Amino acid sequence: MADIADNLKTDTSGIALWTRGRWVTVILAVAVALTLLRYGGLLPDALHRIPETMIPPFATWLDAFFNFVKDDLGLLTLTRTLTEGLEWLLDVTANLMFGKRRWPHIGPIPWTAVAGVAAVIGYYLGGWRMAALGAGTFIWTALIGQWTIAMETMSVLMVAAPLAFFIGLGLGILAWKYRAVNQAIKPILSVLQTLPFFTYLLPAVIFFKVGPTAGAVATTIYAIPPMILMTTLGLQKVSPEVVEAGNMSGCTKWQLLRHVYLPSARTEILVGVNQVIMLCLAMVVLTAFIGMPGLGAKLLAMMGSFKLGRSFEIGVTIVLLAVMLDRMSKAWVVKQPEHFERDTPWWRKHVFLLTGIAVFIFFCIAAQFVPIFAEIGRKQNFSQGKEIDTLIKGFLALDPVQNTTQTIRYVLNVWILNPFRDFLLSIPTPAFILLVVAFALSLGGKRPAIYAAIFFGLVALSGWWDRSVITLYSVISAVTLAILIGVPLGIVAARSEKWSQRVLLACDTAQTFPSFIYLIPAIMLFGITATSVVMSILIFAMVPLTRYTIEGLRTVPPEMTEAADMAGATRMQKLLKVQLPLALPTMAVGFNQAIMFAFFMVIIAAFIGTQDLGQELQRTLAGTDLGKNFVLGICVSLMALTFDLTIMKWATDRKKALGLPD
Amino acid sequence: MTADTVISCKNAWKIFGSNPEAYLKSMPAGRSFDEIRADGYIAGVKDVTIDVTRGEMLVIMGLSGSGKSTLVRCFSRLHDITGGSISVEGQDLMSLSEKELIELRRSKMGMVFQSFGLLPHRTVLDNVAFPLEMRGQDKHTRRERALEVVKLVGLEGREEYFPRELSGGQQQRVGIARSLAIEPDIWFLDEPFSALDPLIRREMQDEFLRLQGMLGKTIVFITHDFDEALRLADRIAIMKDGAVEQCDTPDQIVLHPATEYVRKFTEDIDKARVVRAGALARADNAGEGEPVDTAASVHDLARLLVQDSRAIIPVASSGKVVGGMDRTAALDILLGAG
Ligand SMILES: Nc1ncnc2c1ncn2[C@@H]1O[C@H](COP(=O)(O)OP(=O)(O)OP(=O)(O)O)[C@@H](O)[C@H]1O
Ligand SMILES: [Mg+2]
């Protein structure tokens, strides 16, 4: 019975598979032939790379288009007007959080008051542990001397997150209500979700001024898509009978939405809120690249000048903030309303609100008398930046450590990465495209193959082929390494319930960290080198791989493994013949995420100094090269989409074939 | 249709599927449920013609999936019908504008749902007061009224609970209370007592009978429970595969089942408890002696039927003789041979 999975494997209709397989072979053969011709020096240059002269000036066209929209259609005036409203909001939060000299001139709020309120909210949502997390995060931030920069970040977050929430909610409702809107929005959303974040940044800068405003706009737009999806999902899931009850109660359309649909979709909407907050945090840190001050900018500066101690401290702050925001908003999702006994006095019903206000006022007043409650000065903080720096650098300088890192670096670079990169670059463009098409065809079938051909064809036409290939090379090599580490880790962890839980928790937590954080350990170990890029992508991509491996293995129906046990399969046989094949579709979701994460990270890591699209993208930020910025961004997006479409198609097909739930 | 017809349903169809209107238009007449299903459509309601008069309690019965809930949803226009017409209080439902429909529901209709349909984020009290709130009643009045009906369904002390903190039966009572709060003229009850224990169930039945008797409510009631149906029904409609097989008084249904299906369906009922003297009375021969009441069931008359020796026993309605009952026929029913 150990061959259950084998049977399942071959059950997809044989004939279709045979022709598909033959196509794949033919395409592969052509690709190999082209490459060999090239190596033999027989392939004309025009077939190796598209000649410069044949590349359409997409960037110029886009620039012309943007200029038209910007100036002739007056979009710029519109956005600059919008900017003013947004700027005003940002000034208010900036004044409150870190005392920027703007209306209403009452800030900054003492750090103790913020920490106190965070503790009360934490207690309300999740008891003492959450209270400690809330207060602890802010106390740490203040004591380590990062209060102002953290609040700079928070003040943007406080504007961007609610904005993204409301826009996402509104669009989600429209998409749910009108089919046409839904169909228009869907493809845009899937592109938006694969678009590298740099592509969000430059338009924001051009249309909304440099600094916090552009940062807030980019952050908002970045966080909208999941909110739209969650809103639509939640509204669709409202039980029809609840809606009918609303109808029979004589609700108007608006009343139905307000009193029936939205409250009933509470859970999904709050999950959306959680995602909005987390994406906002991830993005707001990255807006450092367009000069927005705050934690991200500081981290960027510190990493740039290789100040590892301070980088580490800022990293901890960002992680703490992320974990706190994530845990609290998740606790909010599961917190159900509880009833009060009748005749409970009103102050008891609102005890948390009242305590919160009391704590806030108490610390505000106390701060007037005890300066340290208001602000922790430069000399008073506990930052150990220098000490940690020396410590880390001392550690890295130890012979064994240095030997190890250098060996890894050497082996990776000289034996694996560089040869692989050179090999990829040596393949003629048409052959490369054919390879990708063959991959998409064999996994996903005709549609993904066609998309792959079109998408990679466009990339070739964009004129950024070599850099695209280098981007792809970083992604592929990092993900492959991540698979080699992450999957076995998942397999081992999945053996015991206890370890599964632990590793899943770790993965969950790690996924909430803004991607920027992953650069820190890589830079610490390997300095500012190409190895660090691969390493940071590797760590980042490992998280979903491990996670989905565990989930895939643990959701294998017990009957199947029991059947294998009864057939006398060894542990290894069981794993290879039953569990892994059945878990593979779920694991594929993990591969897919890993690849998406890798594309994301490779662009961020560009600032370490790579030769891929990311670096060009980053360069465009300095200028106003909107057209080029878009072309580059879309190249990344097209490559990512190809993988996304192919792998997801394969996973759903497999799940269907295996009779697994989605 | 008489002046007292509240709901008038003529050849109503409700078909589920991708393009039901076009399908119904092109469908040859007399297509059966299974044939329709083979075409990829489900006939939820199949050519139903039925009138409900004012103050009547119509009970709909039928197996699971026979279309009971769908029919009632068509009556309240929660479903738009695919063909035919339904009018309520003389207004054609399908031609009502949204505003008129809302007005009709607010002023006339109430419904209890099979799976309760409670709003998860509202307390018991707020759920019950919800229709009142939609009608724009002020907070104080609706609270008072809600408290009253919550008490009536025996949920006093749980006003501030949320639905998920209640048992199934308690949730169902919240649903009942919500529809009681507005005292609608037309009541749709979709298995309203299915989750209640026998004691409360009986109390609730009494409450509805009381309201109906006192205020002349029109009630359409779905149940799977024959005892309940017999206790409440003026008429019973039996559905199969979306169509109404027979709609008649309980006696007529057990005495003269219109189809084989109805006969099977009513087979296990103790007919003696259902059939009343009135149904057996024949005007041509009144017999003589002490009359029995039309409303007395054969079961009630058991002793008399066995001991009496008259061949024909007169039957009277409020003192006036309306006809005679054949004693042997009545005895047959009592002994289960009818
Ligand atoms: N919204 C819908 N879409 C498609 N089919 C439906 C829909 N609602 C009901 N049906 C179908 O219509 C038929 C009748 O369903 P209905 O809910 O009216 O049955 P019922 O008699 O109330 O059954 P029960 O006693 O189980 O409540 C069923 O076959 C059901 O699958
Ligand atoms: Mg039903």
Side-chain angles (χ1 to χ4, degrees):
Chain A
M1 236 179 271
D3 56 5
I4 296 171
D6 279 340
N7 282 339
L8 289 168
K9 213 187 302 181
T10 46
D11 72 355
T12 17
S13 52
I15 297 176
L17 215 62
W18 184 78
T19 42
R20 202 203 269 182
R22 214 164 94 153
W23 271 107
V24 171
T25 326
V26 170
I27 295 174
L28 279 179
V30 175
V32 172
L34 281 172
T35 314
L36 290 179
L37 278 177
R38 170 75 195 162
Y39 289 169
L42 294 172
L43 197 73
D45 274 350
L47 276 179
H48 177 55
R49 290 285 185 268
I50 296 182
E52 288 287 327
T53 45
M54 277 175 61
I55 286 167
F58 286 118
T60 325
W61 295 344
L62 275 172
D63 266 335
F65 172 72
F66 283 127
N67 282 333
F68 172 72
V69 173
K70 201 168 75 178
D71 302 329
D72 298 338
L73 288 185
L75 192 64
L76 199 60
T77 356
L78 177 74
T79 53
R80 289 277 148 109
T81 326
L82 287 181
T83 312
E84 274 169 30
L86 196 61
E87 216 167 15
W88 181 82
L89 270 179
L90 285 166
D91 279 343
V92 172
T93 53
N95 173 261
L96 293 178
M97 298 321 285
F98 61 95
K100 191 174 177 190
R101 285 183 207 292
R102 288 292 141 78
W103 189 87
H105 295 291
I106 45 177
I109 299 168
W111 68 271
T112 41
V114 175
V117 171
V120 175
I121 297 176
Y123 187 75
Y124 168 68
L125 290 172
W128 283 113
R129 289 159 63 122
M130 208 71 87
L133 180 64
T137 302
F138 286 108
I139 294 173
W140 155 275
T141 312
L143 291 188
I144 208 76
Q146 289 164 3
W147 188 257
T148 310
I149 49 169
M151 289 307 116
E152 278 172 347
T153 301
M154 288 299 276
S155 69
V156 176
L157 190 71
M158 282 166 62
V159 174
L163 215 57
F165 168 76
F166 284 114
I167 297 176
L169 189 72
L171 288 177
I173 292 172
L174 287 179
W176 158 77
K177 194 133 199 169
Y178 303 104
R179 261 181 84 87
V181 177
N182 192 19
Q183 274 162 356
I185 272 184
K186 268 232 173 95
I188 300 181
L189 287 186
S190 54
V191 174
L192 277 186
Q193 284 183 321
T194 52
L195 218 51
F197 73 99
F198 276 139
T199 319
Y200 289 83
L201 290 180
L202 189 62
V205 171
I206 289 184
F207 287 103
F208 294 92
K209 278 188 184 172
V210 192
T213 336
V217 170
T219 308
T220 306
I221 296 176
Y222 187 66
I224 288 174
M227 189 66 217
I228 299 181
L229 292 178
M230 288 318 291
T231 308
T232 329
L233 188 72
L235 290 174
Q236 277 164 354
K237 268 174 56 180
V238 175
S239 120
E241 222 160 73
V242 172
V243 178
E244 288 177 338
N247 270 320
M248 287 310 288
S249 301
C251 288
T252 59
K253 272 200 181 121
W254 168 245
Q255 284 173 325
L256 203 61
L257 183 65
R258 161 85 183 69
H259 294 290
V260 178
Y261 273 112
L262 289 180
S264 304
R266 175 184 181 275
T267 307
E268 283 77 15
I269 291 179
L270 287 184
V271 171
V273 168
N274 168 265
Q275 296 191 355
V276 163
I277 294 177
M278 297 327 288
L279 282 185
C280 277
L281 184 67
M283 188 65 180
V284 85
V285 174
L286 292 174
T287 52
F289 286 109
I290 49 171
M292 214 204 70
L295 287 170
K298 197 77 179 180
L299 182 57
L300 199 59
M302 289 300 144
M303 281 200 290
S305 52
F306 210 55
K307 287 192 178 143
L308 295 180
R310 292 281 280 158
S311 309
F312 179 75
E313 285 177 356
I314 299 172
V316 172
T317 311
I318 296 178
V319 164
L320 277 176
L321 274 175
V323 172
M324 177 198 76
L325 290 171
D326 183 56
R327 289 288 141 80
M328 283 200 185
S329 49
K330 278 197 182 135
W332 194 21
V333 175
V334 291
K335 188 165 179 67
Q336 296 283 343
E338 302 257 349
H339 72 271
F340 290 97
E341 286 312 316
R342 267 193 88 188
D343 303 321
T344 313
W346 71 271
W347 63 264
R348 266 219 58 86
K349 289 190 188 170
H350 303 284
V351 66
F352 286 106
L353 182 65
L354 293 175
T355 320
I357 295 174
V359 167
F360 185 80
I361 293 176
F362 170 78
F363 280 116
C364 283
I365 295 173
Q368 302 293 319
F369 301 101
V370 191
I372 201 145
F373 277 8
E375 203 175 344
I376 292 194
R378 238 171 199 296
K379 301 236 164 50
Q380 292 154 314
N381 72 46
F382 293 92
S383 170
Q384 302 292 314
K386 282 231 174 58
E387 290 72 3
I388 298 178
D389 211 35
T390 1
L391 204 70
I392 297 174
K393 283 182 183 154
F395 174 74
L396 290 180
L398 291 178
D399 276 343
V401 181
Q402 208 164 17
N403 284 342
T404 323
T405 54
Q406 278 191 348
T407 316
I408 293 179
R409 217 156 92 185
Y410 182 80
V411 170
L412 267 181
N413 272 333
V414 178
W415 290 357
I416 305 175
L417 297 179
N418 290 348
F420 182 52
R421 186 189 64 200
D422 295 339
F423 167 67
L424 285 185
L425 283 173
S426 73
I427 301 176
T429 311
F432 199 101
I433 297 177
L434 286 177
L435 285 177
V436 178
V437 170
F439 162 79
L441 186 64
S442 66
L443 278 189
K446 215 161 80 191
R447 265 172 78 104
I450 294 172
Y451 279 123
I454 298 175
F455 288 175
F456 271 78
L458 283 173
V459 173
L461 278 180
S462 76
W464 296 101
W465 180 260
D466 281 358
R467 282 187 189 262
S468 299
V469 171
I470 297 178
T471 309
L472 203 56
Y473 132 82
S474 305
V475 169
I476 295 176
S477 36
V479 171
T480 312
L481 290 175
I483 289 175
L484 291 180
I485 306 173
V487 172
L489 189 68
I491 292 176
V492 173
R495 278 194 189 170
S496 86
E497 183 64 34
K498 198 173 72 188
W499 276 102
S500 304
Q501 293 308 336
R502 282 184 194 164
V503 177
L504 279 180
L505 183 70
C507 289
D508 267 350
T509 314
Q511 267 190 331
T512 62
F513 300 167
S515 41
F516 223 26
I517 295 300
Y518 291 87
L519 281 173
I520 302 176
I523 288 189
M524 277 186 183
L525 287 175
F526 299 100
I528 302 182
T529 61
T531 322
S532 289
V533 177
V534 174
M535 278 301 161
S536 57
I537 306 175
L538 189 155
I539 308 171
F540 195 41
M542 228 174 75
V543 176
L545 279 169
T546 309
R547 193 202 153 114
Y548 281 96
T549 305
I550 297 179
E551 282 188 356
L553 287 174
R554 297 210 67 90
T555 46
V556 170
E559 311 89 78
M560 302 265 180
T561 46
E562 279 161 14
D565 281 338
M566 290 312 291
T570 64
R571 210 168 182 179
M572 201 52 164
Q573 282 173 327
K574 198 166 76 177
L575 182 69
L576 290 180
K577 302 261 170 177
V578 180
Q579 289 172 311
L580 275 184
L582 283 169
L584 215 51
T586 308
M587 288 165 67
V589 178
F591 296 140
N592 190 43
Q593 246 185 43
I595 293 178
M596 297 304 122
F597 280 21
F599 270 112
F600 189 80
M601 198 64 196
V602 77
I603 303 296
I604 295 174
F607 107 102
I608 300 180
T610 47
Q611 298 157 2
D612 58 13
L613 293 169
Q615 216 211 1
E616 277 299 321
L617 260 171
Q618 227 168 58
R619 253 184 239 156
T620 63
L621 287 184
T624 49
D625 230 347
L626 200 53
K628 182 169 156 196
N629 175 283
F630 253 76
V631 172
L632 294 169
I634 286 173
C635 280
V636 178
S637 177
L638 288 175
M639 291 192 289
L641 271 177
T642 308
F643 285 98
D644 189 42
L645 287 170
T646 309
I647 298 178
M648 290 319 279
K649 177 82 172 42
W650 183 83
T652 30
D653 283 355
R654 269 323 270 170
K655 275 192 184 166
K656 237 186 244 151
L658 294 174
L660 297 173
D662 283 325
Chain B
M1 177 176 124
T2 65
D4 249 9
T5 304
V6 177
I7 302 173
S8 164
C9 172
K10 298 240 173 326
N11 305 99
W13 284 83
K14 174 67 198 178
I15 295 182
F16 296 108
S18 52
N19 191 357
E21 278 86 9
Y23 174 72
L24 183 63
K25 280 215 185 76
S26 67
M27 188 186 72
R31 214 157 170 75
S32 76
F33 183 85
D34 289 322
E35 286 166 340
I36 294 175
R37 188 160 62 191
D39 295 339
Y41 291 86
I42 298 270
V45 168
K46 189 166 161 283
D47 199 14
V48 168
T49 301
I50 206 170
D51 280 355
V52 187
T53 44
R54 194 173 310 285
E56 178 183 31
M57 173 105 64
L58 173 73
V59 172
I60 304 180
M61 301 193 73
L63 297 180
S64 197
S66 56
K68 306 180 295 292
S69 303
T70 310
L71 181 62
V72 164
R73 282 192 167 83
C74 292
F75 286 168
S76 53
R77 213 187 138 183
L78 286 171
H79 283 328
D80 290 344
I81 46 175
T82 320
S85 72
I86 296 179
S87 54
V88 171
E89 301 275 15
Q91 292 172 288
D92 179 20
L93 269 192
M94 292 305 290
S95 64
L96 292 183
S97 71
E98 187 177 319
K99 231 176 119 199
E100 289 166 329
L101 183 64
I102 289 175
E103 190 44 45
L104 178 71
R105 283 176 179 157
R106 283 187 183 176
S107 61
K108 293 242 160 70
M109 291 179 172
M111 185 154 175
V112 176
F113 291 88
Q114 191 168 0
S115 37
F116 323 142
L118 301 181
L119 300 171
H121 58 288
R122 288 179 162 240
T123 61
V124 168
L125 204 62
D126 288 340
N127 256 297
V128 173
F130 186 64
L132 304 174
E133 188 180 332
M134 293 304 104
R135 292 168 167 205
Q137 270 190 12
D138 71 278
K139 201 165 173 172
H140 187 72
T141 348
R142 67 178 192 241
R143 205 185 145 77
E144 290 297 304
R145 175 68 189 150
L147 280 171
E148 214 172 284
V149 280
V150 166
K151 198 165 151 189
L152 194 70
V153 297
L155 285 178
E156 211 177 1
R158 298 191 196 262
E159 293 88 349
E160 302 298 328
Y161 280 52
F162 286 93
R164 77 191 153 78
E165 298 173 315
L166 299 174
S167 76
Q170 289 168 335
Q171 291 184 22
Q172 189 160 44
R173 279 185 274 162
V174 178
I176 295 170
R178 178 171 61 188
S179 82
L180 277 173
I182 47 174
E183 292 206 333
D185 295 336
I186 309 169
W187 233 321
F188 302 111
L189 308 173
D190 194 348
E191 301 184 33
F193 307 144
S194 57
L196 301 185
D197 62 65
L199 267 179
I200 300 180
R201 178 188 276 241
R202 200 160 179 97
E203 266 174 42
M204 289 289 127
Q205 291 170 356
D206 287 339
E207 179 60 25
F208 273 90
L209 280 173
R210 187 181 71 79
L211 282 168
Q212 192 208 13
M214 204 169 68
L215 302 165
K217 305 287 181 196
T218 308
I219 301 180
V220 178
F221 192 108
I222 298 176
T223 180
H224 282 287
D225 176 354
F226 245 110
D227 285 330
E228 186 167 75
L230 296 176
R231 202 169 132 69
L232 299 172
D234 293 314
R235 282 192 302 158
I236 296 178
I238 292 181
M239 291 188 73
K240 180 194 179 222
D241 291 345
V244 171
E245 293 275 304
Q246 185 175 8
C247 175
D248 219 327
T249 56
D251 328 48
Q252 289 302 323
I253 285 198
V254 291
L255 284 178
H256 309 293
T259 63
E260 182 57 22
Y261 181 78
V262 175
R263 198 188 63 71
K264 273 240 172 70
F265 195 82
T266 55
E267 208 166 45
D268 294 333
I269 310 172
D270 181 4
K271 296 196 175 69
R273 287 179 189 277
V274 183
V275 179
R276 294 165 199 281
L280 294 172
R282 285 168 48 174
D284 49 348
N285 185 355
E288 30 196 62
E290 190 69 9
V292 294
D293 194 75
T294 39
S297 70
V298 172
H299 185 263
D300 296 336
L301 301 172
R303 183 175 293 274
L304 180 122
L305 287 172
V306 174
Q307 291 178 351
D308 208 309
S309 59
R310 287 173 288 175
I312 307 286
I313 300 173
V315 179
S317 163
S318 41
K320 193 169 162 283
V321 175
V322 293
M325 168 174 73
D326 185 339
R327 191 172 66 96
T328 339
L331 270 176
D332 279 347
I333 291 174
L334 185 64
L335 300 174

